[in-house]
Amino acid sequence: MDNTIMIHAGHYVDCTLGVTFSLSTLAAAGIGQIFSGIGGVMFGDALDTAFRKIGGSTTMTRVQRAMRSSRVAGLTGAVVGVTLGCVLGLVNLLFVDEHKASLLKLQALEDGQEFEFEVEVDNEIHQGYTTVIVRGPDVDGVLASITASIASMGCSVVELHASPRTKNVEQASSSSEDSSSGGSSVTTLLDQLVQSQSQVRFEDVYLIRHRSTHQAIDNDDLDDLARTVLAAAKDPLNSHSLKAQVDELQMENIALADRVSMLEGMMEDRQIKVVPLVNPNEEDKQR
């Protein structure tokens, strides 16, 4: 029962509070363990009493309980019972969508955060290459989404300079000191948590060129490129669906290539007819 409560409560916390406050999956599991412990305290005695009535209870004297064999049997039974109970509780994982929380976290851009992205496209910084500079808040999946969008435009990333993802620690600490001096509340602490997440920003520089011409992107196509990169930065979830589609297409291509090879071999076998020259002496011997 403990595992059942922990898994479902942790999954619910991960999909709600975890998305809102960017909590990790381990933090959500820890909160789920709190509910599991409360459930064990509330229902543990009732379940124990019910199972005693079903299975019956034996009365042991104080001397019998103090025997070594009784203690070993009790400890072994407890370990085996807890192990079996936890293993049975893991069956709940079959009914839980483990990827739902991660997808929700990728979609959960804060209010107005999608308008903080900036895209700069320039053909003059590096000769023969198009320079794409992306600035904005750090959200999981942004880098992969932008790279996939550039590839979808028929371009190749030659160089990538990714800035380190850091937080403005001084600003966060000063805000916490101000709130503590004025008497911080739970709401204030939660607001600081959300603000600290939004303080993580990045500035990535991509050097790209056209895949077929190996030259910089035409000036007429720079606007479309910038809009495509901006849309990818605002919606990093698309990178996952695009990757899944690419993987599926690759598997289909491999299957089709194997089938084509098999069909070509069958056609070649039908097109070729081999008639060996038979020696008359050997033919007489066979007769």
Side-chain angles (χ1 to χ4, degrees):
M1 188 186 71
D2 292 346
N3 258 13
T4 300
I5 297 176
M6 184 188 70
I7 290 174
H8 289 282
H11 181 257
Y12 179 78
V13 171
D14 199 17
C15 294
T16 53
L17 295 178
V19 174
T20 304
F21 302 111
S22 299
L23 299 179
S24 64
T25 303
L26 288 177
I31 298 176
Q33 180 62 34
I34 296 176
F35 292 97
S36 176
I38 294 175
V41 172
M42 293 178 61
F43 304 107
D45 292 337
L47 293 175
D48 189 28
T49 302
F51 284 117
R52 284 181 182 274
K53 291 181 179 179
I54 295 174
S57 60
T58 58
T59 303
M60 300 179 62
T61 63
R62 182 179 301 177
V63 177
Q64 290 175 333
R65 288 195 299 268
M67 294 174 61
R68 178 180 176 83
S69 59
S70 299
R71 295 197 303 269
V72 171
L75 179 60
T76 304
V79 171
V80 173
V82 170
T83 303
L84 291 178
C86 292
V87 171
L88 291 176
L90 293 178
V91 177
N92 292 276
L93 294 176
L94 299 175
F95 307 100
V96 173
D97 187 1
E98 301 179 13
H99 303 288
K100 180 179 179 181
S102 59
L103 295 179
L104 290 175
K105 290 177 182 179
L106 287 175
Q107 285 180 321
L109 290 176
E110 298 174 10
D111 295 338
Q113 194 178 50
E114 61 179 12
F115 300 105
E116 298 180 13
F117 289 101
E118 299 177 3
V119 177
E120 179 181 347
V121 182
D122 197 330
N123 274 342
E124 296 182 356
I125 298 179
H126 297 86
Q127 186 175 3
Y129 299 96
T130 298
T131 304
V132 180
I133 303 175
V134 184
R135 305 180 186 91
D138 185 25
V139 181
D140 292 339
V142 170
L143 183 61
S145 181
I146 294 175
T147 305
S149 67
I150 293 175
S152 66
M153 294 286 293
C155 306
S156 301
V157 179
V158 181
E159 291 186 16
L160 170 60
H161 302 276
S163 62
R165 272 56 171 168
T166 56
K167 294 182 180 180
N168 191 349
V169 181
E170 296 180 357
Q171 182 178 357
S173 60
S174 62
S175 62
S176 63
E177 291 177 358
D178 295 339
S179 61
S180 60
S181 61
S184 62
S185 60
V186 177
T187 305
T188 305
L189 292 177
L190 294 178
D191 292 339
Q192 291 176 4
L193 178 62
V194 175
Q195 292 176 2
S196 64
Q197 295 293 331
S198 63
Q199 291 168 1
V200 184
R201 298 183 61 84
F202 71 93
E203 179 176 335
D204 295 342
V205 180
Y206 302 79
L207 292 183
I208 67 174
R209 63 184 180 183
H210 202 275
R211 191 178 297 117
S212 58
T213 61
H214 300 287
Q215 298 293 329
I217 311 303
D218 294 337
N219 294 330
D220 297 336
D221 298 331
L222 292 182
D223 184 70
D224 293 337
L225 175 64
R227 293 181 183 277
T228 302
V229 172
L230 181 61
K234 290 182 179 180
D235 190 11
L237 183 61
N238 284 341
S239 63
H240 294 266
S241 60
L242 181 61
K243 184 178 183 299
Q245 293 176 4
V246 170
D247 294 339
E248 184 178 356
L249 290 175
Q250 288 179 349
M251 296 297 295
E252 292 180 357
N253 288 336
I254 293 175
L256 289 175
D258 294 339
R259 185 173 179 82
V260 168
S261 300
M262 181 183 66
L263 293 176
E264 288 179 349
M266 294 174 62
M267 291 180 63
E268 288 180 356
D269 293 339
R270 292 183 178 182
Q271 291 174 345
I272 297 175
K273 182 178 181 180
V274 178
V275 180
L277 178 63
V278 179
N279 192 343
N281 296 329
E282 293 182 357
E283 186 177 356
D284 295 336
K285 290 180 181 179
Q286 291 177 358
R287 290 180 180 177

Coordinates of all heavy atoms in Angstrom, one line a residue, residues 28 30 111 191 233:
A28 N 9.6 15.4 -6.2 CA 8.2 14.9 -6.2 C 8.0 13.6 -5.5 O 7.0 13.3 -4.8 CB 7.7 14.9 -7.7
G30 N 9.9 12.5 -3.1 CA 10.0 12.7 -1.7 C 8.7 13.2 -1.1 O 8.3 12.8 0.0
D111 N 4.4 32.9 -17.7 CA 3.7 34.0 -18.3 C 4.6 35.0 -18.9 O 5.4 35.6 -18.1 CB 2.7 34.6 -17.3 CG 1.6 33.7 -16.9 OD1 1.4 32.7 -17.6 OD2 1.0 33.9 -15.8
D191 N 7.2 32.5 -4.6 CA 7.4 33.5 -5.6 C 8.9 33.6 -5.9 O 9.3 33.8 -7.1 CB 6.9 34.9 -5.2 CG 5.4 34.9 -5.2 OD1 4.8 34.0 -5.8 OD2 4.8 35.8 -4.5
A233 N 12.3 28.0 -30.5 CA 12.7 28.4 -29.1 C 11.5 28.5 -28.2 O 11.5 28.2 -27.0 CB 13.5 29.7 -29.1

